[in-house]
Amino acid sequence: IDPLYVLDLSTPADPRAVGVLEVPGFADYLYPLRNGLLLGVGKDANAQGLVQGVKLGLFDVSNPAAPRELASKLYGGRGSHTTLDFARQGLNLFERSASETRAALPVAITNDDGQSYQNGLLRLTIDTAAKTWRDAPLLAAPTTPDAVWHDVWYDRATQIEDTVYYFSRGQLQGAAW
C-alpha cells in the first residue's frame, strides 16, 4: 500500500497533510495535469508485498481533503518496466487541447507466463474535463533478428500534432496517434 498524500504548503514553515488515499502498489512518479488530476506511474504489488507489473493510475486531487483514484490499469506481470525506471525523461506528455493530454511511455511487458515479452509504446489519451482516460493498442517496438527481449532504457517518444514518434532499438518510427 502506497498512500497518496495531499499537502497544504500555503504556510511553508508549517506544511501539513490535508488528505490521504491508500492504493495498492506504489507510484514512482506523479505528473500534475489540468483540473486537479495526477497521472501516477509505478508498480502494482500483491498482498505479500511482491512487486508485480507496471501500474498507471489517474487521481483526482481537486478536493484536497478527499483525493480519489479515478482509474488504474496494470500492464504485464513481474519484471515489467518502463523507461521511467531508468530515466525521468521516459514519459512524453502532450497537451493536445485545454481538456486533452496524451501520454506516451515506452514499456517492456513480461507476460503472465514469465517467459514471453512485449516491447512497445503505451499511449493514453486523458480527458481532463471529463476526468477519464482511454488507452490505444500498444505500438510495437521495431523487431531485430537477434533480439526477442529488448530493454527500454534508451527508448523515447515525442508527439507532434497527431503523430507520435517512437525511437527504439536504434530505429525511429512514426505513427498516427
Side-chain angles (χ1 to χ4, degrees):
I1 302 287
D2 183 17
L4 170 68
Y5 293 102
V6 180
L7 304 175
D8 178 355
L9 304 175
S10 60
T11 308
D14 186 25
R16 58 188 179 88
V18 293
V20 64
L21 174 67
E22 291 188 356
V23 293
F26 57 92
D28 292 310
Y29 292 91
L30 292 170
Y31 295 91
L33 304 173
R34 291 179 187 245
N35 298 318
L37 298 181
L38 292 174
L39 175 63
V41 180
K43 300 282 191 314
D44 194 24
N46 65 18
Q48 292 76 37
L50 294 174
V51 175
Q52 302 299 303
V54 171
K55 182 179 179 181
L56 274 62
L58 185 63
F59 301 95
D60 183 351
V61 294
S62 58
N63 177 355
R68 357 179 242 138
E69 184 176 48
L70 300 174
S72 70
K73 187 165 181 180
L74 181 62
Y75 297 89
R78 255 180 100 71
S80 298
H81 57 277
T82 75
T83 55
L84 288 173
D85 291 320
F86 309 102
R88 68 175 200 263
Q89 309 90 330
L91 176 70
N92 176 255
L93 292 174
F94 177 58
E95 281 193 346
R96 178 83 173 105
S97 69
S99 63
E100 182 180 301
T101 299
R102 293 177 176 173
L105 179 64
V107 295
I109 295 174
T110 304
N111 294 332
D112 291 335
D113 62 12
Q115 301 299 314
S116 55
Y117 309 94
Q118 290 179 293
N119 294 88
L121 187 67
L122 286 180
R123 296 172 291 155
L124 300 175
T125 301
I126 303 158
D127 184 330
T128 59
K131 299 186 176 188
T132 60
W133 80 12
R134 67 183 186 284
D135 58 348
L138 187 73
L139 180 61
T143 58
T144 57
D146 60 340
V148 175
W149 172 254
H150 166 71
D151 220 328
V152 294
W153 297 348
Y154 303 111
D155 287 11
R156 297 292 184 269
T158 193
Q159 303 169 62
I160 301 173
E161 297 302 327
D162 288 328
T163 303
V164 61
Y165 295 93
Y166 177 32
F167 180 78
S168 178
R169 296 182 178 175
Q171 299 176 42
L172 180 66
Q173 63 179 319
W177 185 257

